[in-house]
Amino acid sequence: MLSRLNGRLGFFIRNFGTASSKVSLPEKVRTLEKFAFKHFSHTINEVNGGLEDVLNKKVTLNGWINGSPRKMSKNLVFAAFRDFNGDFTQITAKGESVSQLLRTLKPEDALSVTGTVTVRKQKTDDQFKQWELVLEDLEVLNYSNEKASQLDSLKATPSQYPPEYRYLQLRQPFYQNALKMRSKAASIARSVFQSMNFTEIETPMLFKSTPEGAKEFLVPTRREGFFYALPQSPQQYKQILMASGFKGYYQIAKCFRDEDLRADRQPEFTQIDMEMSFAKSEDVQYVIQKLLTQIWNGVRHLPFYRIDPANEYAIVELKPGESFPKVNYMEALTSYGIDKPDLRATLSFKDISSFFGSQPLKRSDFPVIEACVLKNALNLVVKSPRNLFDKTNYSMRTPYIFKILCEDDLYRWFSKLPVDLVDADSASQLNRYLNLSVGDIVAVSDRSEIPYESPTPLGRFRQLAMQEYPTSWRRKVAGATEQPTQNDIFVASWLVNFPLFSPSEGDSIDGYPVYDFSNLESTHHPFTMVKLEDYDYLASNPLKAKGDHYDLVVNGVEVGGGSRRVHDAELQKFIFSNILKIDNYMGLFGHLLHALSSGCPPHAGLAIGFDRMCSMLLGSPTIRDVVAFPKTQAGTDPVVESPSTVPEKTLQTYHIGVKK
Ligand code: ASP
């Protein structure tokens, strides 16, 4: 590419470069010193740190004007100055020529400033510490356009920031910090893997179209009818690398999924991807815990917590050498209604089916009736719990939700359910069982015996309750004199024993999912190994088989997921053909099957959602804050305006026609 470009430049110079030109350079460019600028001698932070040494001495700083200059008089102009580390100081122009230049400058002009570090006389704020730079020389390295000045006032409100000016937004300390933190996390990850003798290996971006779960992005080629697909993850290549004899592989990998950009997803995202040969699940879990502990420690200097084994209402720091606790899928679903429970809150559910003589609320295939009580929710001095009752917050059926406003409500709330209590005595027994009292909110819903919904309606209710009342029902740190803030508490666990297969899901009816039990899908991906104790279920009753899969869940977020893999080609074929009914599995996955049948060792691995992990470390609700150039909800990149159309002629080379 470079040589081609040089070739073109050569052409340009030969034909135009030597001709005498009547045009002159634009004035601003002529007067700019940007091409031979004074390089910084210090950063602002260095001056802050060694003030005594540089006081009354000359230094040069490089950076930007932060906001408009304040013009005090003809010969006195102040401006806030920000350097490339996001630190601030004040620059002061006193002499006539520098004052005249400084007063004409706008926010975000890039400067090299030279002056004397002087003790500040008027310390009206402590933003600029104790010194200012009294200017002797001011070089404009580049002017910012009008837009940069106009946007200056929007710095603090990123949601209103026009996304096409992302680069200006990224200049702000918040984003500088976010991306630096991401870079640090990546570098810790690399050093942890390297220290354990893993090999960093890049796998192709131009992959093959294979059904792996999500929709793929296709890449046309000049060979008619042939396409690449962008990888949803390096899953198949990393398994092939295990057949290639590598003991440990890792990669910070770009992945692509052409999915609805609901919630907090991006069509391209990054994984810390890893795989180990001659390894079982526990080996992977050990490495990943070590990795996470070092990242958390290196980036936030914070430990991980777990539920206190001695008191379920408290959490304790994980001891050195202690593993992240394991939570069973069924326990997570029945207690918290989701396969990624946020264990910072105590809220859990109780099965109340027996109080109703085991009649279903509505449908016999959803026979379990369960309840979740928000103690004292009505007495909390917070805004009304609007969201809990808002149907639009529930994608399936909304739970029945009751406010216990007075003593009488205790004896009638259940009468609004479509089922009757077994007998009159059951009311007080039920209230006692739920420990229900005036001032509480109780939610009731149903679920299937093995819940494939995640979250269940009650699980969603629990999530909303935690959002609505962020500090209530939180587990306290046992024995702490001062409780850490919620953003500094990270409770981690391994979610295990997922069903290996799930029934495929059709359109829902009345808020109930409809399952086709004759058509099974992999709960994660088709390469997941069965738990050895359930091996026989593969032939007799695949729905009963648990997968050797593990999700790493931190504060209700699935930070990573992985599994032991099927390393035997015959077993993998059986799963493709007999269970998943994939007819042309040789065409789709022949490459993997051949690799497995070439003496591929047992292997296991995992991938961490790197963007999500970084936004969690940053304490930000959105991954957009840790992605330099995120796509919009419509999948566009407003900075470069992609995707874009291409000329008809280009399309023809790819044998593609666009319908007009
Ligand atoms: N490839 C999987 C994913 O992207 C992770 C894994 O099983 O290693 O979810």
Side-chain angles (χ1 to χ4, degrees):
M1 182 67 193
L2 256 186
S3 63
R4 228 186 287 160
L5 206 71
N6 283 342
R8 273 192 220 151
L9 273 180
F11 168 83
F12 181 81
I13 291 163
R14 274 195 306 281
N15 290 279
F16 306 105
T18 52
S20 67
S21 154
K22 287 199 190 79
V23 291
S24 51
L25 286 168
E27 196 198 338
K28 273 192 170 173
V29 177
R30 254 186 295 148
T31 55
L32 279 180
E33 289 91 349
K34 64 179 168 185
F35 302 110
F37 68 97
K38 257 195 220 137
H39 195 267
F40 63 95
S41 63
H42 291 74
T43 64
I44 292 174
N45 197 29
E46 279 166 0
V47 178
N48 288 340
L51 193 53
E52 285 111 72
D53 299 336
V54 280
L55 208 56
N56 301 322
K57 298 218 172 97
K58 217 160 136 177
V59 301
T60 298
L61 306 174
N62 290 172
W64 294 266
I65 290 214
N66 194 65
S68 299
R70 283 172 291 140
K71 301 150 201 168
M72 310 309 283
S73 67
K74 191 164 161 249
N75 284 342
L76 183 62
V77 183
F78 298 116
F81 183 86
R82 189 183 76 243
D83 76 1
F84 42 78
N85 288 325
D87 295 316
F88 296 92
T89 192
Q90 174 166 285
I91 52 174
T92 304
K94 288 183 175 159
E96 195 182 331
S97 65
V98 268
S99 299
Q100 263 179 20
L101 180 52
L102 184 58
R103 69 191 312 134
T104 62
L105 299 184
K106 294 187 308 310
E108 299 306 321
D109 285 344
L111 308 179
S112 174
V113 288
T114 303
T116 308
V117 177
T118 311
V119 172
R120 283 195 71 200
K121 304 233 167 50
Q122 287 170 300
K123 279 181 244 154
T124 44
D125 50 49
D126 57 5
Q127 190 195 359
F128 304 131
K129 307 280 179 301
Q130 300 131 38
W131 60 277
E132 63 187 333
L133 193 73
V134 177
L135 296 182
E136 281 160 34
D137 193 13
L138 173 55
E139 290 180 357
V140 182
L141 308 185
N142 216 348
Y143 292 101
S144 67
N145 58 30
E146 284 299 320
K147 201 71 201 177
S149 315
Q150 287 162 14
L151 292 176
D152 196 49
S153 60
L154 288 181
K155 276 174 195 163
T157 50
S159 58
Q160 294 170 13
Y161 213 92
E164 60 272 33
Y165 295 102
R166 179 69 170 177
Y167 41 88
L168 290 177
Q169 192 177 33
L170 290 182
R171 281 187 192 171
Q172 298 313 312
F174 172 82
Y175 291 98
Q176 292 277 313
N177 172 45
L179 293 184
K180 283 177 187 163
M181 193 211 69
R182 180 182 172 117
S183 160
K184 185 166 187 190
S187 116
I188 296 174
R190 285 204 166 88
S191 71
V192 171
F193 281 122
Q194 291 296 141
S195 75
M196 292 198 269
N197 292 323
F198 279 67
T199 311
E200 181 168 12
I201 304 175
E202 290 164 70
T203 52
M205 286 287 106
L206 295 176
F207 182 44
K208 172 181 172 177
S209 174
T210 63
E212 230 181 82
K215 265 196 226 130
E216 320 161 301
F217 285 97
L218 281 181
V219 182
T221 69
R222 279 176 288 158
R223 190 167 156 207
E224 190 165 6
F226 282 76
F227 296 84
Y228 295 108
L230 300 180
Q232 297 181 28
S233 80
Q235 183 65 35
Q236 295 177 55
Y237 278 119
K238 70 174 171 174
Q239 289 194 240
I240 296 173
L241 282 171
M242 295 301 100
S244 314
F246 289 94
K247 175 71 185 84
Y249 139 93
Y250 79 96
Q251 176 183 199
I252 300 187
K254 273 273 174 185
C255 307
F256 305 85
R257 294 182 193 172
D258 191 5
E259 288 180 312
D260 275 356
L261 303 180
R262 285 169 290 130
D264 206 19
R265 297 231 179 113
Q266 286 282 305
E268 56 179 303
F269 58 96
T270 307
Q271 289 186 340
I272 301 182
D273 194 40
M274 58 86 78
E275 196 77 15
M276 298 165 75
S277 64
F278 298 101
K280 296 183 181 176
S281 300
E282 290 71 29
D283 302 309
V284 172
Q285 289 162 9
Y286 172 81
V287 171
I288 294 300
Q289 179 167 345
K290 183 163 173 176
L291 173 72
L292 244 75
T293 308
Q294 296 211 16
I295 292 179
W296 252 248
N297 184 33
V299 174
R300 295 286 311 273
H301 312 292
L302 289 172
F304 281 103
Y305 292 86
R306 61 167 298 174
I307 296 180
D308 184 351
N311 171 10
E312 64 158 313
Y313 296 104
I315 47 175
V316 284
E317 261 183 46
L318 215 63
K319 295 196 210 82
E322 189 182 14
S323 307
F324 291 151
K326 295 202 168 109
V327 178
N328 276 319
Y329 175 84
M330 273 308 278
E331 182 195 333
L333 265 293
T334 56
S335 299
Y336 309 110
I338 194 161
D339 60 5
K340 42 182 181 201
D342 187 341
L343 298 176
R344 286 174 301 176
T346 55
L347 290 177
S348 63
F349 313 154
K350 282 194 160 155
D351 183 340
I352 55 171
S353 315
S354 62
F355 292 93
F356 301 95
S358 297
Q359 316 158 63
L361 266 189
K362 265 201 182 146
R363 285 194 16 180
S364 55
D365 49 346
F366 286 74
V368 182
I369 308 180
E370 52 186 10
C372 177
V373 177
L374 307 183
K375 290 301 295 171
N376 287 320
L378 297 173
N379 299 337
L380 292 168
V381 194
V382 284
K383 62 184 185 330
S384 83
R386 232 176 321 120
N387 293 333
L388 298 179
F389 294 89
D390 183 348
K391 278 193 170 44
T392 60
N393 277 325
Y394 298 86
S395 60
M396 294 301 242
R397 56 206 181 281
T398 313
Y400 297 87
I401 306 176
F402 309 100
K403 293 181 189 170
I404 311 297
L405 295 166
C406 59
E407 212 46 48
D408 282 353
D409 284 345
L410 279 171
Y411 293 92
R412 60 185 176 211
W413 65 269
F414 41 80
S415 59
K416 300 208 183 84
L417 292 171
V419 279
D420 294 325
L421 285 174
V422 183
D423 55 41
D425 289 346
S426 309
S428 46
Q429 282 170 20
L430 174 59
N431 288 339
R432 224 172 309 129
Y433 180 63
L434 292 176
N435 184 25
L436 200 62
S437 40
V438 175
D440 298 347
I441 291 178
V442 56
V444 174
S445 191
D446 51 359
R447 63 165 170 83
S448 48
E449 206 73 67
I450 298 181
Y452 295 108
E453 286 176 286
S454 180
T456 60
L458 225 48
R460 179 72 187 131
F461 173 83
R462 182 180 188 269
Q463 278 182 328
L464 291 169
M466 288 181 70
Q467 270 169 34
E468 198 83 46
Y469 306 109
T471 53
S472 311
W473 313 295
R474 293 293 173 136
R475 294 187 155 99
K476 299 265 181 323
V477 178
T481 37
E482 211 176 302
Q483 291 292 322
T485 63
Q486 285 303 318
N487 281 349
D488 290 348
I489 292 185
F490 295 96
V491 183
S493 55
W494 288 112
L495 247 289
V496 293
N497 290 332
F498 284 82
L500 183 56
F501 304 104
S502 314
S504 65
E505 205 177 312
D507 290 340
S508 62
I509 299 180
D510 293 338
Y512 286 85
V514 176
Y515 298 120
D516 177 358
F517 287 90
S518 64
N519 193 0
L520 302 190
E521 291 170 353
S522 299
T523 307
H524 290 100
H525 54 56
F527 320 113
T528 310
M529 181 60 182
V530 65
K531 280 274 193 181
L532 294 188
E533 66 265 26
D534 289 352
Y535 196 81
D536 291 343
Y537 284 137
L538 285 181
S540 62
N541 189 352
L543 267 178
K544 275 189 129 176
K546 294 187 290 304
D548 198 348
H549 177 96
Y550 32 85
D551 270 355
L552 178 65
V553 177
V554 181
N555 292 0
V557 174
E558 182 196 321
V559 170
S563 52
R564 181 169 177 186
R565 324 297 187 185
V566 176
H567 76 284
D568 181 281
E570 292 310 310
L571 180 62
Q572 185 68 77
K573 278 187 206 163
F574 178 85
I575 291 172
F576 284 146
S577 67
N578 289 55
I579 301 180
L580 299 173
K581 314 264 166 28
I582 302 174
D583 292 336
N584 64 336
Y585 63 83
M586 275 319 273
L588 295 171
F589 298 109
H591 51 274
L592 182 64
L593 293 166
H594 286 306
L596 294 181
S597 63
S598 319
C600 178
H603 56 283
L606 174 138
I608 289 174
F610 188 51
D611 312 283
R612 216 175 287 163
M613 185 186 83
C614 289
S615 65
M616 170 175 269
L617 281 163
L618 187 69
S620 156
T622 163
I623 59 171
R624 302 172 61 83
D625 286 345
V626 293
V627 175
F629 300 106
K631 300 275 190 288
T632 62
Q633 289 269 316
T636 62
D637 177 345
V639 175
V640 301
E641 296 186 341
S642 69
S644 62
T645 56
V646 292
E648 192 72 42
K649 235 177 142 186
T650 313
L651 287 179
Q652 278 165 16
T653 52
Y654 292 101
H655 316 281
I656 292 176
V658 175
K659 268 200 196 143
K660 294 267 157 56

PDB file of all heavy atoms in Angstrom, residues 212 232-235 238 255 257 269 271 273-275 525 549 558 561-563 565 605-607, ligand 1:
ATOM      1  N   GLU A 212     -23.091 -20.370  14.265  1.00  0.00           N
ATOM      2  CA  GLU A 212     -22.514 -20.467  15.613  1.00  0.00           C
ATOM      3  C   GLU A 212     -23.436 -19.829  16.643  1.00  0.00           C
ATOM      4  O   GLU A 212     -23.119 -19.718  17.806  1.00  0.00           O
ATOM      5  CB  GLU A 212     -21.158 -19.771  15.630  1.00  0.00           C
ATOM      6  CG  GLU A 212     -20.061 -20.633  16.235  1.00  0.00           C
ATOM      7  CD  GLU A 212     -18.726 -19.924  16.268  1.00  0.00           C
ATOM      8  OE1 GLU A 212     -18.510 -19.142  17.198  1.00  0.00           O
ATOM      9  OE2 GLU A 212     -17.918 -20.160  15.358  1.00  0.00           O
ATOM     10  N   GLN A 232     -17.578 -14.599  14.523  1.00  0.00           N
ATOM     11  CA  GLN A 232     -18.357 -14.214  15.719  1.00  0.00           C
ATOM     12  C   GLN A 232     -17.483 -14.324  16.948  1.00  0.00           C
ATOM     13  O   GLN A 232     -17.707 -13.682  17.956  1.00  0.00           O
ATOM     14  CB  GLN A 232     -19.555 -15.141  15.874  1.00  0.00           C
ATOM     15  CG  GLN A 232     -20.514 -15.030  14.728  1.00  0.00           C
ATOM     16  CD  GLN A 232     -21.698 -15.944  14.915  1.00  0.00           C
ATOM     17  OE1 GLN A 232     -22.082 -16.260  16.029  1.00  0.00           O
ATOM     18  NE2 GLN A 232     -22.296 -16.349  13.820  1.00  0.00           N
ATOM     19  N   SER A 233     -16.507 -15.226  16.855  1.00  0.00           N
ATOM     20  CA  SER A 233     -15.480 -15.375  17.886  1.00  0.00           C
ATOM     21  C   SER A 233     -14.430 -16.289  17.250  1.00  0.00           C
ATOM     22  O   SER A 233     -14.720 -16.934  16.246  1.00  0.00           O
ATOM     23  CB  SER A 233     -16.057 -16.013  19.148  1.00  0.00           C
ATOM     24  OG  SER A 233     -16.150 -17.417  18.985  1.00  0.00           O
ATOM     25  N   PRO A 234     -13.223 -16.349  17.816  1.00  0.00           N
ATOM     26  CA  PRO A 234     -12.226 -17.243  17.202  1.00  0.00           C
ATOM     27  C   PRO A 234     -12.409 -18.699  17.631  1.00  0.00           C
ATOM     28  O   PRO A 234     -11.465 -19.474  17.602  1.00  0.00           O
ATOM     29  CB  PRO A 234     -10.889 -16.694  17.734  1.00  0.00           C
ATOM     30  CG  PRO A 234     -11.207 -15.422  18.445  1.00  0.00           C
ATOM     31  CD  PRO A 234     -12.621 -15.517  18.871  1.00  0.00           C
ATOM     32  N   GLN A 235     -13.623 -19.084  18.042  1.00  0.00           N
ATOM     33  CA  GLN A 235     -13.862 -20.387  18.646  1.00  0.00           C
ATOM     34  C   GLN A 235     -13.267 -21.552  17.858  1.00  0.00           C
ATOM     35  O   GLN A 235     -12.528 -22.371  18.395  1.00  0.00           O
ATOM     36  CB  GLN A 235     -15.368 -20.599  18.817  1.00  0.00           C
ATOM     37  CG  GLN A 235     -15.758 -21.898  19.493  1.00  0.00           C
ATOM     38  CD  GLN A 235     -15.283 -21.957  20.929  1.00  0.00           C
ATOM     39  OE1 GLN A 235     -15.250 -20.957  21.620  1.00  0.00           O
ATOM     40  NE2 GLN A 235     -14.866 -23.128  21.374  1.00  0.00           N
ATOM     41  N   LYS A 238      -9.460 -21.449  17.480  1.00  0.00           N
ATOM     42  CA  LYS A 238      -8.683 -21.733  18.698  1.00  0.00           C
ATOM     43  C   LYS A 238      -8.724 -23.221  19.026  1.00  0.00           C
ATOM     44  O   LYS A 238      -7.753 -23.765  19.542  1.00  0.00           O
ATOM     45  CB  LYS A 238      -9.101 -20.848  19.874  1.00  0.00           C
ATOM     46  CG  LYS A 238     -10.443 -21.080  20.504  1.00  0.00           C
ATOM     47  CD  LYS A 238     -10.589 -20.191  21.755  1.00  0.00           C
ATOM     48  CE  LYS A 238     -11.990 -20.213  22.309  1.00  0.00           C
ATOM     49  NZ  LYS A 238     -12.121 -19.488  23.572  1.00  0.00           N
ATOM     50  N   CYS A 255     -14.417  -9.428  17.435  1.00  0.00           N
ATOM     51  CA  CYS A 255     -15.482 -10.350  17.055  1.00  0.00           C
ATOM     52  C   CYS A 255     -16.617  -9.542  16.442  1.00  0.00           C
ATOM     53  O   CYS A 255     -16.788  -8.359  16.760  1.00  0.00           O
ATOM     54  CB  CYS A 255     -16.018 -11.088  18.276  1.00  0.00           C
ATOM     55  SG  CYS A 255     -14.737 -11.898  19.221  1.00  0.00           S
ATOM     56  N   ARG A 257     -20.818  -9.588  15.342  1.00  0.00           N
ATOM     57  CA  ARG A 257     -22.136 -10.246  15.338  1.00  0.00           C
ATOM     58  C   ARG A 257     -23.165  -9.245  14.825  1.00  0.00           C
ATOM     59  O   ARG A 257     -23.268  -8.139  15.355  1.00  0.00           O
ATOM     60  CB  ARG A 257     -22.521 -10.734  16.749  1.00  0.00           C
ATOM     61  CG  ARG A 257     -21.582 -11.838  17.192  1.00  0.00           C
ATOM     62  CD  ARG A 257     -21.878 -12.439  18.537  1.00  0.00           C
ATOM     63  NE  ARG A 257     -20.716 -13.247  18.931  1.00  0.00           N
ATOM     64  CZ  ARG A 257     -20.529 -13.807  20.107  1.00  0.00           C
ATOM     65  NH1 ARG A 257     -21.451 -13.682  21.047  1.00  0.00           N
ATOM     66  NH2 ARG A 257     -19.442 -14.504  20.370  1.00  0.00           N
ATOM     67  N   PHE A 269     -16.932  -6.114  18.647  1.00  0.00           N
ATOM     68  CA  PHE A 269     -16.546  -5.996  20.048  1.00  0.00           C
ATOM     69  C   PHE A 269     -15.273  -6.811  20.265  1.00  0.00           C
ATOM     70  O   PHE A 269     -14.794  -7.485  19.348  1.00  0.00           O
ATOM     71  CB  PHE A 269     -17.685  -6.473  20.965  1.00  0.00           C
ATOM     72  CG  PHE A 269     -18.115  -7.878  20.718  1.00  0.00           C
ATOM     73  CD1 PHE A 269     -17.599  -8.917  21.488  1.00  0.00           C
ATOM     74  CD2 PHE A 269     -18.996  -8.188  19.707  1.00  0.00           C
ATOM     75  CE1 PHE A 269     -17.967 -10.233  21.248  1.00  0.00           C
ATOM     76  CE2 PHE A 269     -19.370  -9.505  19.459  1.00  0.00           C
ATOM     77  CZ  PHE A 269     -18.861 -10.520  20.234  1.00  0.00           C
ATOM     78  N   GLN A 271     -12.890  -9.499  22.582  1.00  0.00           N
ATOM     79  CA  GLN A 271     -12.818 -10.538  23.617  1.00  0.00           C
ATOM     80  C   GLN A 271     -11.369 -10.765  24.014  1.00  0.00           C
ATOM     81  O   GLN A 271     -10.478 -10.669  23.169  1.00  0.00           O
ATOM     82  CB  GLN A 271     -13.331 -11.878  23.074  1.00  0.00           C
ATOM     83  CG  GLN A 271     -14.813 -11.946  22.829  1.00  0.00           C
ATOM     84  CD  GLN A 271     -15.252 -13.349  22.423  1.00  0.00           C
ATOM     85  OE1 GLN A 271     -14.447 -14.172  21.969  1.00  0.00           O
ATOM     86  NE2 GLN A 271     -16.540 -13.618  22.563  1.00  0.00           N
ATOM     87  N   ASP A 273      -9.604 -13.784  24.525  1.00  0.00           N
ATOM     88  CA  ASP A 273      -9.965 -15.155  24.187  1.00  0.00           C
ATOM     89  C   ASP A 273      -8.814 -16.088  24.581  1.00  0.00           C
ATOM     90  O   ASP A 273      -7.649 -15.725  24.405  1.00  0.00           O
ATOM     91  CB  ASP A 273     -10.197 -15.219  22.669  1.00  0.00           C
ATOM     92  CG  ASP A 273     -10.894 -16.489  22.250  1.00  0.00           C
ATOM     93  OD1 ASP A 273     -11.811 -16.906  22.968  1.00  0.00           O
ATOM     94  OD2 ASP A 273     -10.522 -17.060  21.204  1.00  0.00           O
ATOM     95  N   MET A 274      -9.129 -17.238  25.136  1.00  0.00           N
ATOM     96  CA  MET A 274      -8.050 -18.160  25.523  1.00  0.00           C
ATOM     97  C   MET A 274      -8.513 -19.609  25.401  1.00  0.00           C
ATOM     98  O   MET A 274      -9.709 -19.896  25.397  1.00  0.00           O
ATOM     99  CB  MET A 274      -7.549 -17.871  26.949  1.00  0.00           C
ATOM    100  CG  MET A 274      -8.579 -17.949  28.039  1.00  0.00           C
ATOM    101  SD  MET A 274      -8.825 -19.604  28.713  1.00  0.00           S
ATOM    102  CE  MET A 274      -7.445 -19.783  29.784  1.00  0.00           C
ATOM    103  N   GLU A 275      -7.549 -20.497  25.288  1.00  0.00           N
ATOM    104  CA  GLU A 275      -7.837 -21.933  25.209  1.00  0.00           C
ATOM    105  C   GLU A 275      -6.616 -22.684  25.735  1.00  0.00           C
ATOM    106  O   GLU A 275      -5.475 -22.213  25.583  1.00  0.00           O
ATOM    107  CB  GLU A 275      -8.126 -22.312  23.745  1.00  0.00           C
ATOM    108  CG  GLU A 275      -8.805 -23.645  23.546  1.00  0.00           C
ATOM    109  CD  GLU A 275     -10.309 -23.663  23.856  1.00  0.00           C
ATOM    110  OE1 GLU A 275     -10.935 -22.604  23.962  1.00  0.00           O
ATOM    111  OE2 GLU A 275     -10.850 -24.776  24.011  1.00  0.00           O
ATOM    112  N   HIS A 525     -22.698 -23.103  22.743  1.00  0.00           N
ATOM    113  CA  HIS A 525     -22.386 -23.408  21.352  1.00  0.00           C
ATOM    114  C   HIS A 525     -22.204 -24.916  21.217  1.00  0.00           C
ATOM    115  O   HIS A 525     -22.056 -25.628  22.224  1.00  0.00           O
ATOM    116  CB  HIS A 525     -21.204 -22.598  20.822  1.00  0.00           C
ATOM    117  CG  HIS A 525     -19.954 -22.687  21.644  1.00  0.00           C
ATOM    118  ND1 HIS A 525     -19.335 -23.880  21.947  1.00  0.00           N
ATOM    119  CD2 HIS A 525     -19.213 -21.722  22.238  1.00  0.00           C
ATOM    120  CE1 HIS A 525     -18.264 -23.638  22.671  1.00  0.00           C
ATOM    121  NE2 HIS A 525     -18.175 -22.332  22.889  1.00  0.00           N
ATOM    122  N   HIS A 549     -19.978 -26.222  31.124  1.00  0.00           N
ATOM    123  CA  HIS A 549     -19.851 -24.813  30.749  1.00  0.00           C
ATOM    124  C   HIS A 549     -19.770 -23.992  32.029  1.00  0.00           C
ATOM    125  O   HIS A 549     -20.348 -24.368  33.046  1.00  0.00           O
ATOM    126  CB  HIS A 549     -21.089 -24.406  29.932  1.00  0.00           C
ATOM    127  CG  HIS A 549     -21.095 -22.960  29.545  1.00  0.00           C
ATOM    128  ND1 HIS A 549     -20.640 -22.516  28.321  1.00  0.00           N
ATOM    129  CD2 HIS A 549     -21.473 -21.850  30.221  1.00  0.00           C
ATOM    130  CE1 HIS A 549     -20.731 -21.201  28.273  1.00  0.00           C
ATOM    131  NE2 HIS A 549     -21.240 -20.768  29.413  1.00  0.00           N
ATOM    132  N   GLU A 558     -22.403 -10.858  32.957  1.00  0.00           N
ATOM    133  CA  GLU A 558     -21.638 -12.018  32.481  1.00  0.00           C
ATOM    134  C   GLU A 558     -20.347 -11.477  31.877  1.00  0.00           C
ATOM    135  O   GLU A 558     -20.312 -11.004  30.754  1.00  0.00           O
ATOM    136  CB  GLU A 558     -22.472 -12.755  31.431  1.00  0.00           C
ATOM    137  CG  GLU A 558     -21.832 -13.995  30.902  1.00  0.00           C
ATOM    138  CD  GLU A 558     -22.503 -14.454  29.611  1.00  0.00           C
ATOM    139  OE1 GLU A 558     -23.747 -14.375  29.496  1.00  0.00           O
ATOM    140  OE2 GLU A 558     -21.770 -14.873  28.705  1.00  0.00           O
ATOM    141  N   GLY A 561     -17.387 -16.340  29.495  1.00  0.00           N
ATOM    142  CA  GLY A 561     -18.016 -17.655  29.447  1.00  0.00           C
ATOM    143  C   GLY A 561     -17.126 -18.613  28.690  1.00  0.00           C
ATOM    144  O   GLY A 561     -16.394 -18.206  27.780  1.00  0.00           O
ATOM    145  N   GLY A 562     -17.169 -19.870  29.094  1.00  0.00           N
ATOM    146  CA  GLY A 562     -16.355 -20.853  28.387  1.00  0.00           C
ATOM    147  C   GLY A 562     -16.785 -22.247  28.750  1.00  0.00           C
ATOM    148  O   GLY A 562     -17.771 -22.451  29.474  1.00  0.00           O
ATOM    149  N   SER A 563     -16.031 -23.210  28.265  1.00  0.00           N
ATOM    150  CA  SER A 563     -16.416 -24.593  28.515  1.00  0.00           C
ATOM    151  C   SER A 563     -15.262 -25.531  28.217  1.00  0.00           C
ATOM    152  O   SER A 563     -14.284 -25.160  27.571  1.00  0.00           O
ATOM    153  CB  SER A 563     -17.592 -24.988  27.620  1.00  0.00           C
ATOM    154  OG  SER A 563     -17.327 -24.699  26.280  1.00  0.00           O
ATOM    155  N   ARG A 565     -14.421 -28.573  25.885  1.00  0.00           N
ATOM    156  CA  ARG A 565     -14.945 -28.804  24.542  1.00  0.00           C
ATOM    157  C   ARG A 565     -15.072 -30.295  24.243  1.00  0.00           C
ATOM    158  O   ARG A 565     -14.397 -31.127  24.869  1.00  0.00           O
ATOM    159  CB  ARG A 565     -14.017 -28.204  23.482  1.00  0.00           C
ATOM    160  CG  ARG A 565     -13.358 -26.910  23.870  1.00  0.00           C
ATOM    161  CD  ARG A 565     -14.342 -25.782  24.095  1.00  0.00           C
ATOM    162  NE  ARG A 565     -13.634 -24.513  24.312  1.00  0.00           N
ATOM    163  CZ  ARG A 565     -14.218 -23.384  24.628  1.00  0.00           C
ATOM    164  NH1 ARG A 565     -15.531 -23.324  24.805  1.00  0.00           N
ATOM    165  NH2 ARG A 565     -13.523 -22.284  24.798  1.00  0.00           N
ATOM    166  N   GLY A 605     -11.592 -23.793  27.368  1.00  0.00           N
ATOM    167  CA  GLY A 605     -11.218 -22.383  27.212  1.00  0.00           C
ATOM    168  C   GLY A 605     -12.323 -21.458  27.663  1.00  0.00           C
ATOM    169  O   GLY A 605     -13.326 -21.886  28.266  1.00  0.00           O
ATOM    170  N   LEU A 606     -12.136 -20.215  27.332  1.00  0.00           N
ATOM    171  CA  LEU A 606     -13.089 -19.191  27.782  1.00  0.00           C
ATOM    172  C   LEU A 606     -12.804 -17.896  27.030  1.00  0.00           C
ATOM    173  O   LEU A 606     -11.694 -17.688  26.543  1.00  0.00           O
ATOM    174  CB  LEU A 606     -12.922 -18.974  29.283  1.00  0.00           C
ATOM    175  CG  LEU A 606     -13.713 -17.856  29.932  1.00  0.00           C
ATOM    176  CD1 LEU A 606     -14.291 -18.324  31.276  1.00  0.00           C
ATOM    177  CD2 LEU A 606     -12.853 -16.628  30.177  1.00  0.00           C
ATOM    178  N   ALA A 607     -13.822 -17.038  26.959  1.00  0.00           N
ATOM    179  CA  ALA A 607     -13.594 -15.694  26.417  1.00  0.00           C
ATOM    180  C   ALA A 607     -14.221 -14.679  27.354  1.00  0.00           C
ATOM    181  O   ALA A 607     -15.313 -14.897  27.886  1.00  0.00           O
ATOM    182  CB  ALA A 607     -14.212 -15.576  25.032  1.00  0.00           C
TER     183      ALA A 607
HETATM  184  N1  ASP B   1     -16.374 -18.550  21.861  1.00  0.00           N
HETATM  185  C1  ASP B   1     -17.215 -18.405  23.027  1.00  0.00           C
HETATM  186  C2  ASP B   1     -18.022 -17.109  22.945  1.00  0.00           C
HETATM  187  O1  ASP B   1     -17.708 -16.237  22.164  1.00  0.00           O
HETATM  188  C3  ASP B   1     -16.442 -18.406  24.298  1.00  0.00           C
HETATM  189  C4  ASP B   1     -15.794 -19.721  24.569  1.00  0.00           C
HETATM  190  O2  ASP B   1     -16.510 -20.737  24.663  1.00  0.00           O
HETATM  191  O3  ASP B   1     -14.567 -19.755  24.716  1.00  0.00           O
HETATM  192  O4  ASP B   1     -18.962 -16.939  23.691  1.00  0.00           O
END
